[in-house]
Amino acid sequence: MSDTKTPAITCRNVWQVFGPGAETALTDALARSGDDADVAAQELREQGLIPAVQDANFDVQEGELFVIMGLSGSGKSTLIRCISHLLHATGGEIRIDGENIVEASKARLIELRRKKLGMVFQHFGLFPHMTVLDNVAYPLRVQGTKKSDRHAKAREVIELVGLKGREHHYPRELSGGQRQRVGIARSLVADCSVWFLDEPFSALDPLIRRQLQDEFLQIQEKLKTTIVFITHDINEALKLADRIAIMRDGKIVQIGTPAEIVLHPVDDYVREFSKDVAKGQHAHVASVMNTGEAMVYGADDPGLRKDMTLDAALARCMDLYEPVPVHDDSGKVVGVVNPADLAAALQVETP
Amino acid sequence: MIPHLTKGAIAALITLAVGVICLVLQPAVPWIAKWPAAWVLPATDWVGAGLTWLLEGVKPVARAFSAMMYYPMLWANIALTSTPWPLVIGAVAALGWILGGLSMAALGFLGLSFVLASGYWVESMNTLALVAVSVPLALLLGGAIGVLANEHPRIKSGVQAVLDVMQTVPTFAYLTPLLLLFGFGPVVGLIASAIYAAPPMARNVLLGLERVEPEIKEAAVMSGGTRFQQLFQVEIPSASTQIMVGVNQCLMAALSMVIIAAVIGGFDDIGWEVLLTMRKAQFGQALLAGLVVVVFAVVIDRMSATLAQDRRVTYDRRVAWGVLAVGFLVSVLFWSSLPDPAGFETLQPLADGVDRGLTQFTTANGEWLASMKNGFLFYVLLPLRIGLAQAVLPFTWGFAWTGQMSLVLFSASAVLGVIVALRGNVTLGALLGIAAIVLVTGIANLPWLFVLVGTAALGWVSGGRRLAILSVVLLSTILLSGLWERALLSLYLSGAAVFACAVLGGTIGLLSAISPLVWRVVQPICDMLQTIPLFVFLIPVLMVFQIGEFSAFLAIIAYAIVPMIRYTRHGLTETPAEMLEAATASGATEWQILRDVRAPYAAPTILLGLNQTILYAFAMLVIAALIGTTGLGQSIYLALGQADVGLGISAGAAMAILALIADRMVQGFAEERRRALGL
């Protein structure tokens, strides 16, 4: 990822503290602790305040699918509400396309939401008194778009999410999966460039969830928007994410690609998450191969490539004991891997 | 062995101790029992002077407003009374069709036909005109208060407190200052009913807005709506079901108040008719007029309740137009030969028949009825009021109460109390002692110090120190203002009625919970009793038992028993299925499930029912002053007649204070139970 472009979203030292006098308490606590977030958070807790998000720092690049994962109560929903400014962050800086929205005026926020931001909710947040069509067209209605125009646009998005023919149903007449499609369509109707999804599939049955995840990836393929996606499901995170941020007790404990999270968890908490994950499907050969000057390998070449998953690679060299070469797309040898290391990387820790 | 004392036990013991001290010291220091008249501040006069001064200041504005309201009232009146009756009936039936199809159309048609046949058409239309003008006022006022409170969380608790007070201050008490402000006439009824009907609307609007799912609100924000757009396009429509509940309650409150306002007279409406015929002891006629009021209440209630249904069916509008057209055609075709609606006397024979039947009934059963009434008065109500020591007379009981008897009763209760306490239940033991004191002295004669300490103790147990202090401070204002004796009298009658409601209503609720058959009979009766405006309850009791405390007692019970029945049944039947299955799987019998699972789970709900019953009893107590009660209700009623603002407001405030304290205490107990159950 290039550093020359402005990231789509930047979070710097974002805090969300709940309780009376949170803002002053945070400033004081930070000043006393010399900007040590952990010490400050502890001090705030002792005062009876709740630091729901402490010192969050990350960038999301344009077009990136950034997943924030954590258990309930870890602060992930609070964080996404800070970024979308449904909550006013207690401290820190949140930039969307370079613009600090923590300090944005009310009018500017409305403007931003109309033109740039879209959001999908866990329990859909559909308006019960409006039909599917009116629900989806609502973001255009508040902008004063003409009825025929906004309905035309809404029909387009409704078709995109596969709900054609249900325009005149009311939310209560739809299944959970269909309701969330309406939610997705509504968030897309105004052509947002930053898309917030707060556990969009958590309230759905496993089968429907998978179907919607796949469709979601297809839509993302088409639209290439910047996405912040919240989930508590590690498999969903690994399946969808470009990068994952893992939260615990209001703190981001690790940010990394799915492979990094699975193979190099920073602590036991993250390891616990990835314990039951089929690592072979998420990690690639490149993450375990040796590179360097002396690439010594045996006579057998099972044709491993560096972007193969561990499962696929292991299937090819199950019966080999010597190190084997790894190729890149052009066929050049870029590394060496010992089949035993492949197997070792897959090992699921025993409790 | 000193058992660990619970909060309740400590409170009961302290109260008992103070009671004993008061009784012992009373002969030596009489002021400990009876608040000396010299210590009473002329607060009532101050309130009167202050308010009169204030009202005089506002008067020009009020009079201007009154003049302004004169026109819409006049128009509504003209519109309703000069419209030919077939058209009015057609319009109501058509409205019924749109709201609820055939059943509502039929209800509207039959209801208004009854009104027509009763001969009270003109009076009814006068009443309806008042309601039609006051309801939009109340809806606007209430809606605005609700929305504002929702927009500004800081004023929310304040607004809620004001709404609480507005609903606990007795209806009659509103009328006196309004009378001063607006002068005699229908405008007072109009304003009073708008003020009285606004709080339920405000409450429901606020509740509805608060209950809109947070994600729906967030979705509106993220759609880029301005606050105005969020509120009017998303939040208010999402809350519409709850708001419609508010509209329904608002309509009913307005109707009820318009009828009550008839006591100030000066307007020829149906409430006045009820009152007039009651005063003239024309009970058949009063019953007829009362039934007209009931019909109105039922029609308005059922029709507006359809608005609050979750899923509304839409009915073909063409049918409604058709019905309206028929009404119009009939009006036009028979224009010159339409009978005068005031001239209908179809139901007159019925009213006369009721009168005759009633006379026969009372002469035939007079002895039995009188002995029942007197028996209850002499052996229950009177001892409760002035205590066994004064109520037991040779004339009624056959012997005179002596000091030795008191002593025997006290010793017996003391012995029993100590035994109970030693077996572990200290609270019950102390309560036995307290009960003996109350029985001998009578509620109206209780030493003020004892009442104050007892209230504080109860407040402390139910709601902590703050409630205890609040109760004592509020009660002290009553004490200082010289309304203490009247307050105790009110407390005695409503207390007795509430107790009867709790026992009777609790039993009926229990039976309804056990047997669906019983509930099928009880439910429509409850629905009916809840729809009937307060006023009408007085007619039947008056017919049988004449004016007096016993009639008032019965009227209060009839009105206040409904919530007790409903909440008891509701609480007992709403136990989660899983808990019942777990109990059944453990091998519990039906009775054991009821006692061990359903009843504890229902306790908070039943307490809320009791709370409602108490508030209802206070409301009715004031109305019952019309048929003879003593105490605050009577003062309020008298103040109205003499336009004595000071007395009216002070007595009204005292009434509200009693209601408020009772409310907070029962709520406190309910809250404690809920917490204990983890709800």
Side-chain angles (χ1 to χ4, degrees):
Chain A
M1 264 160 262
S2 71
D3 285 24
T4 50
K5 274 181 77 179
T6 320
I9 302 172
T10 308
C11 288
R12 288 285 169 273
N13 313 108
V14 174
W15 285 79
Q16 180 67 51
V17 183
F18 294 117
E23 208 142 325
T24 13
L26 175 64
T27 324
D28 294 351
L30 282 175
R32 268 197 296 275
S33 66
D35 281 336
D36 184 322
D38 287 337
V39 176
Q42 190 52 39
E43 193 180 310
L44 289 170
R45 283 205 182 89
E46 277 158 17
Q47 290 171 28
L49 299 170
I50 303 159
V53 173
Q54 7 174 325
D55 201 38
N57 286 291
F58 59 85
D59 290 337
V60 181
Q61 302 303 327
E62 205 180 307
E64 188 181 14
L65 205 169
F66 188 78
V67 172
I68 300 173
M69 204 203 74
L71 301 178
S72 54
S74 61
K76 54 190 195 305
S77 281
T78 310
L79 179 54
I80 202 177
R81 279 169 173 71
C82 288
I83 309 175
S84 59
H85 207 280
L86 282 169
L87 287 172
H88 182 81
T90 318
E93 197 179 287
I94 299 167
R95 295 187 177 277
I96 291 183
D97 291 336
E99 178 179 356
N100 188 357
I101 62 153
V102 179
E103 282 159 11
S105 70
K106 254 187 193 164
R108 178 63 191 149
L109 275 172
I110 288 176
E111 180 73 15
L112 270 174
R113 286 175 178 139
R114 287 181 178 180
K115 299 284 188 265
K116 231 177 216 179
L117 313 179
M119 185 154 175
V120 179
F121 298 90
Q122 181 177 5
H123 301 291
F124 326 128
L126 301 183
F127 308 135
H129 57 290
M130 295 186 195
T131 61
V132 168
L133 189 64
D134 288 332
N135 258 292
V136 174
Y138 186 71
L140 298 175
R141 180 176 159 197
V142 295
Q143 302 183 25
T145 312
K146 241 173 53 188
K147 192 168 186 174
S148 55
D149 292 350
R150 66 174 193 251
H151 279 180
K153 176 72 191 175
R155 278 176 211 280
E156 242 173 69
V157 204
I158 289 172
E159 192 168 352
L160 178 73
V161 299
L163 275 183
K164 197 170 156 71
R166 303 207 181 261
E167 289 87 347
H168 298 291
H169 285 57
Y170 282 91
R172 60 168 184 269
E173 299 163 343
L174 303 178
S175 69
Q178 289 170 331
R179 287 184 203 184
Q180 195 54 294
R181 285 162 198 265
V182 178
I184 290 174
R186 182 178 60 192
S187 68
L188 289 176
V189 77
D191 295 319
C192 61
S193 57
V194 177
W195 200 11
F196 301 107
L197 296 103
D198 179 20
E199 301 209 39
F201 307 136
S202 298
L204 306 176
D205 292 339
L207 272 180
I208 308 283
R209 190 184 310 161
R210 206 162 66 203
Q211 197 183 345
L212 275 174
Q213 285 167 354
D214 292 336
E215 288 176 28
F216 167 71
L217 283 175
Q218 282 167 17
I219 293 175
Q220 161 64 354
E221 191 70 20
K222 250 189 249 173
L223 302 178
K224 299 259 185 262
T225 47
T226 307
I227 294 175
V228 179
F229 190 110
I230 304 283
T231 183
H232 62 253
D233 176 358
I234 181 78
N235 285 306
E236 186 169 75
L238 294 171
K239 177 175 177 179
L240 303 176
D242 291 327
R243 277 191 307 147
I244 301 173
I246 295 193
M247 284 188 80
R248 181 182 53 175
D249 299 338
K251 247 171 70 178
I252 296 183
V253 288
Q254 185 173 6
I255 299 182
T257 62
E260 283 165 1
I261 299 284
V262 171
L263 294 175
H264 308 294
V266 289
D267 61 8
D268 287 346
Y269 179 74
V270 182
R271 192 167 300 124
E272 200 59 26
F273 267 125
S274 49
K275 207 168 83 179
D276 297 329
V277 166
K279 292 180 181 171
Q281 290 169 16
H282 296 287
H284 300 113
V285 176
S287 59
V288 286
M289 70 184 184
N290 297 313
T291 53
E293 309 281 302
M295 290 198 283
V296 184
Y297 45 89
D300 293 305
D301 183 353
L304 299 193
R305 291 213 313 276
K306 67 176 181 131
D307 55 355
M308 264 180 177
T309 63
L310 296 186
D311 276 355
L314 200 57
R316 295 200 177 195
C317 50
M318 284 270 249
D319 44 0
L320 299 177
Y321 301 97
E322 301 268 290
V324 295
V326 181
H327 308 271
D328 66 5
D329 290 343
S330 62
K332 200 179 134 216
V333 175
V334 290
V336 177
V337 69
N338 192 329
D341 292 343
L342 280 178
L346 282 185
Q347 213 98 84
V348 173
E349 283 107 304
T350 43
Chain B
M1 182 200 71
I2 296 172
H4 178 71
L5 290 180
T6 59
K7 227 174 161 186
I10 298 171
L13 284 175
I14 294 176
T15 312
L16 180 62
V18 172
V20 171
I21 293 172
C22 286
L23 280 193
V24 173
L25 293 185
Q26 193 173 350
V29 239
W31 58 259
I32 207 168
K34 199 168 166 3
W35 187 259
W39 296 1
V40 168
L41 300 173
T44 312
D45 297 337
W46 295 346
V47 170
L51 268 178
T52 313
W53 178 79
L54 199 72
L55 292 179
E56 283 302 323
V58 194
K59 207 168 180 177
V61 184
R63 289 288 156 103
F65 184 74
S66 165
M68 212 170 71
M69 288 318 292
Y70 175 76
Y71 291 100
M73 273 177 54
L74 190 68
W75 297 328
N77 214 349
I78 290 175
L80 278 168
T81 45
S82 58
T83 309
W85 53 264
L87 189 57
V88 175
I89 296 181
V92 171
L95 185 67
W97 173 267
I98 290 174
L99 289 173
L102 189 60
S103 57
M104 285 301 141
L107 179 71
F109 179 79
L110 292 176
L112 283 203
S113 302
F114 175 83
V115 174
L116 184 70
S118 72
Y120 284 122
W121 182 264
V122 179
E123 291 84 353
S124 304
M125 288 303 128
N126 285 340
T127 298
L128 203 59
L130 268 180
V131 174
V133 181
S134 78
V135 165
L137 277 180
L139 289 181
L140 271 178
L141 186 66
I145 294 175
V147 168
L148 280 179
N150 181 59
E151 290 306 289
H152 304 282
R154 255 184 234 161
I155 62 167
K156 198 185 284 179
S157 57
V159 167
Q160 246 149 4
V162 172
L163 292 179
D164 275 348
V165 171
M166 275 167 91
Q167 275 188 321
T168 40
V169 171
T171 42
F172 275 0
Y174 280 45
L175 292 174
T176 318
L178 289 178
L179 207 57
L180 229 73
L181 270 181
F182 296 99
F184 277 90
V187 172
V188 173
L190 179 88
I191 307 284
S193 86
I195 294 178
Y196 182 62
M201 182 66 187
R203 225 180 262 283
N204 280 289
V205 168
L206 184 57
L207 187 69
L209 289 176
E210 279 176 344
R211 281 200 187 159
V212 174
E213 274 178 52
E215 288 197 344
I216 289 182
K217 294 182 190 170
E218 289 180 343
V221 176
M222 288 308 291
S223 296
T226 58
R227 184 64 203 134
F228 196 76
Q229 286 172 325
Q230 291 164 25
L231 191 62
F232 285 92
Q233 293 174 352
V234 174
E235 293 181 17
I236 291 178
S238 295
S240 65
T241 306
Q242 192 69 49
I243 294 177
M244 283 306 160
V245 172
V247 172
N248 172 267
Q249 292 179 0
C250 178
L251 274 163
M252 296 310 286
L255 178 68
S256 183
M257 189 70 195
V258 161
I259 303 227
I260 287 170
V263 293
I264 56 172
F267 194 56
D268 186 17
D269 63 356
I270 192 73
W272 177 244
E273 208 60 46
V274 173
L275 200 67
L276 203 65
T277 46
M278 242 167 29
R279 281 187 186 151
K280 287 195 258 177
Q282 299 172 333
F283 292 124
Q285 209 62 41
L287 198 66
L288 193 58
L291 278 178
V292 169
V293 173
V294 173
V295 162
F296 262 110
V298 171
V299 170
I300 292 178
D301 178 52
R302 301 299 184 267
M303 279 195 184
S304 61
T306 62
L307 289 171
Q309 272 162 8
D310 242 352
R311 272 174 217 184
R312 298 198 44 217
V313 190
T314 43
Y315 297 91
D316 195 340
R317 300 262 154 138
R318 283 171 299 184
V319 177
W321 286 114
V323 173
L324 199 59
V326 171
F328 185 72
L329 273 179
V330 171
S331 312
V332 173
L333 289 179
F334 302 97
W335 183 263
S336 50
S337 55
L338 267 188
D340 177 12
F344 275 94
E345 290 189 342
T346 327
L347 296 177
Q348 209 49 54
L350 194 72
D352 296 340
V354 168
D355 261 345
R356 233 173 302 123
L358 190 69
T359 318
Q360 274 170 13
F361 176 79
T362 38
T363 35
N365 301 291
E367 214 161 303
W368 172 77
L369 285 172
S371 69
M372 180 176 123
K373 175 174 147 185
N374 291 335
F376 199 79
L377 269 177
F378 289 138
Y379 300 113
V380 181
L381 286 182
L382 210 56
L384 259 182
R385 181 171 159 184
I386 52 175
L388 288 171
Q390 288 181 33
V392 176
L393 298 169
F395 160 63
T396 47
W397 287 62
F399 59 94
W401 191 262
T402 57
Q404 280 95 335
M405 290 181 185
S406 300
L407 220 55
V408 170
L409 191 71
F410 284 138
S411 333
S413 77
V415 171
L416 202 62
V418 169
I419 292 175
V420 173
L422 284 180
R423 301 184 86 190
N425 201 337
V426 183
T427 318
L428 186 65
L431 284 179
L432 278 174
I434 295 173
I437 295 179
V438 174
L439 261 183
V440 173
T441 347
I443 294 177
N445 294 337
L446 284 178
W448 59 267
L449 192 63
F450 174 67
V451 177
L452 231 49
V453 172
T455 315
L458 211 55
W460 179 62
V461 175
S462 79
R465 194 183 304 157
R466 278 185 57 183
L467 184 56
I469 295 174
L470 180 78
S471 311
V472 169
V473 169
L474 287 177
L475 277 187
S476 306
T477 60
I478 301 183
L479 200 55
L480 284 174
S481 65
L483 293 167
W484 184 254
E485 270 133 47
R486 277 171 269 188
L488 281 188
L489 281 175
S490 295
L491 203 60
Y492 128 78
L493 191 59
S494 51
V498 166
F499 182 74
C501 283
V503 174
L504 215 60
T507 313
I508 298 176
L510 177 68
L511 290 177
S512 307
I514 295 172
S515 150
L517 190 73
V518 172
W519 180 233
R520 217 177 303 154
V521 178
V522 172
Q523 190 183 17
I525 300 178
C526 281
D527 285 349
M528 200 61 189
L529 287 177
Q530 240 174 0
T531 324
I532 298 177
L534 291 167
F535 222 42
V536 180
F537 282 90
L538 305 180
I539 304 170
V541 290
L542 209 52
M543 281 163 65
V544 183
F545 293 109
Q546 289 84 41
I547 282 181
E549 210 154 61
F550 185 61
S551 301
F553 178 73
L554 287 183
I556 296 174
I557 291 179
Y559 180 65
I561 198 171
V562 181
M564 198 61 210
I565 298 177
R566 269 188 202 284
Y567 281 73
T568 305
R569 180 195 163 266
H570 184 74
L572 289 175
T573 50
E574 291 298 297
T575 327
E578 246 174 44
M579 280 167 58
L580 297 181
E581 283 167 2
T584 314
S586 311
T589 62
E590 274 300 315
W591 169 245
Q592 285 171 325
I593 291 180
L594 187 70
R595 189 193 58 196
D596 303 334
V597 182
R598 285 186 195 268
Y601 191 81
T605 314
I606 297 178
L607 278 174
L608 284 186
L610 182 67
N611 188 34
Q612 290 286 312
T613 291
I614 293 173
L615 294 182
Y616 274 42
F618 276 120
M620 192 65 187
L621 187 65
V622 181
I623 305 294
L626 280 175
I627 58 170
T629 57
T630 45
L632 293 173
Q634 190 191 33
S635 300
I636 296 172
Y637 184 53
L638 288 178
L640 185 59
Q642 300 156 359
D644 181 347
V645 189
L647 181 60
I649 286 293
S650 306
M655 202 81 194
I657 285 173
L658 293 184
L660 202 75
I661 293 177
D663 175 73
R664 289 293 136 90
M665 283 186 183
V666 182
Q667 295 266 20
F669 280 120
E671 187 53 39
E672 187 265 326
R673 282 283 71 204
R674 245 192 318 245
R675 251 203 312 274
L677 290 174
L679 293 178

